[in-house]
Amino acid sequence: MRLALFDLDGTLVDRTAALSSTVAGLCRDHGYRPEVAQWLLAELAEHGGRDVLGRLPERFGVTESAEHLWRVYVDRMAASVECRPEVLESLGRLRERGWSVGVVTNGSSDLQRAKIRSAGLADLVDGIAASGDIDVRKPDARLFELAAARCGTQLTAGDWMTGDDPVRDIAGGSGAGLRAIWVRGRAWPEGLDVPHHSVADVVEAVDHLLERSGG
């Protein structure tokens, strides 16, 4: 079984646009001051979790509970996130050619799975490993191994990881024994080994996999 693992945020879906919409809506509905929105966007820019929202009552004196804010955040992020139709179509082609498709992502389990369902990815993915499942984050190889297990297989030298983060996705995938495809956008850190392949878009990554497998 050929295995293709993908990062979620910034690779399969646009987290940045969804986050901006979510924070704006959450703050508008609760009547929060502009500085609350600015702080949330800064704190949630690279990673978002229950801990960030849990600091709102103490930092800004809001009256809503951390649990309430988290539920609103999850619902709004799921409703805001989108996966482009051409990405969905490309993943469908990959599975039709006999590939198993997995998602390996840093983030809370409930949030990441809600986004996957809302974005229309659930029926195109064989297994999901979120860092919240086992409290291990990329680039730790154990998260990639869990993703493979959830796809009903184990990592082999012919498997691939595609993502936008040079350290978490590319170095992490390579460290787990995977070939890596980098979706360009972030700056590449000096001294980090180059990926096996780089693309401008995840659809190009799928095309590369299909070409290599005769698809």
Side-chain angles (χ1 to χ4, degrees), residues 53-73:
L53 293 162
R55 299 202 300 272
L56 271 180
E58 180 178 356
R59 185 176 182 89
F60 293 101
V62 305
T63 58
E64 290 78 17
S65 70
E67 185 59 32
H68 164 78
L69 293 171
W70 176 249
R71 289 197 303 269
V72 172
Y73 178 73

Side-chain angles (χ1 to χ4, degrees), residues 98-117:
W99 286 76
S100 183
V101 175
V103 171
V104 54
T105 175
N106 286 346
S108 300
S109 299
D110 53 349
L111 173 60
Q112 300 303 79
R113 284 176 168 77
K115 289 192 290 187
I116 286 170
R117 289 192 299 270

Side-chain angles (χ1 to χ4, degrees), residues 68-133:
H68 164 78
L69 293 171
W70 176 249
R71 289 197 303 269
V72 172
Y73 178 73
V74 169
D75 290 344
R76 281 193 168 275
M77 278 294 285
S80 299
V81 76
E82 294 182 354
C83 185
R84 292 181 292 120
E86 53 267 37
V87 174
L88 298 173
E89 190 273 336
S90 69
L91 293 179
R93 286 191 290 119
L94 194 61
R95 294 182 84 223
E96 287 173 1
R97 299 301 191 276
W99 286 76
S100 183
V101 175
V103 171
V104 54
T105 175
N106 286 346
S108 300
S109 299
D110 53 349
L111 173 60
Q112 300 303 79
R113 284 176 168 77
K115 289 192 290 187
I116 286 170
R117 289 192 299 270
S118 180
L121 288 162
D123 291 337
L124 297 170
V125 172
D126 298 292
I128 303 164
S131 63
D133 294 341

Side-chain angles (χ1 to χ4, degrees), residues 3-36:
L3 176 64
L5 299 179
F6 294 87
D7 168 54
L8 180 63
D9 297 313
T11 300
L12 293 177
V13 301
D14 183 354
R15 179 182 183 270
T16 300
L19 178 63
S20 179
S21 173
T22 294
V23 169
L26 185 151
C27 291
R28 181 182 61 251
D29 291 350
H30 292 83
Y32 294 161
R33 304 186 304 276
E35 54 264 36
V36 177

Side-chain angles (χ1 to χ4, degrees), residues 11 160-167 169-170 179-189 194-202 205:
T11 300
W160 289 81
M161 172 65 194
T162 299
D164 69 311
D165 191 290
V167 174
D169 298 323
I170 306 307
R179 303 176 193 179
I181 301 177
W182 178 43
V183 179
R184 297 186 295 269
R186 299 171 183 257
W188 189 264
V194 298
H196 295 88
H197 191 62
S198 65
V199 295
D201 175 87
V202 69

